[in-house]
Amino acid sequence: MLPIRVTYNQTCELLSITRNTLRDLRLNDPTFPKGYKAGSTRQAPVYFDYKSLVEWHKKNEAKSE
């Protein structure tokens, strides 16, 4: 089964964060799921794996409690 691709904007909506916060997470949190590009150009969209995002969110939610 193929992973469910989530766009940059959809990821922001799912996590209720801004694009700047998502950028900071990608740069500063080594546990945050890696995004992957749909092409080789700079303008190619970045996607995230939905399952990885959900798992990351659950782990971080447990840490904050």
Side-chain angles (χ1 to χ4, degrees):
M1 189 164 143
L2 295 173
I4 298 173
R5 297 188 323 174
V6 182
T7 65
Y8 207 89
N9 287 337
Q10 289 171 332
T11 300
C12 291
E13 288 180 36
L14 284 170
L15 299 176
S16 298
I17 58 176
T18 64
R19 288 180 64 88
N20 286 336
T21 304
L22 179 55
R23 181 181 169 274
D24 290 341
L25 280 172
R26 289 184 67 205
L27 293 174
N28 302 321
D29 186 353
T31 64
F32 192 76
K34 300 292 181 211
Y36 55 94
K37 285 187 162 255
S40 59
T41 64
R42 287 185 68 193
Q43 293 83 13
V46 174
Y47 293 101
F48 297 91
D49 176 40
Y50 178 77
K51 183 178 176 184
S52 298
L53 287 172
V54 171
E55 289 172 1
W56 176 85
H57 182 67
K58 285 181 182 178
K59 286 179 186 176
N60 282 341
E61 194 173 54
K63 287 181 187 177
S64 64
E65 290 180 351

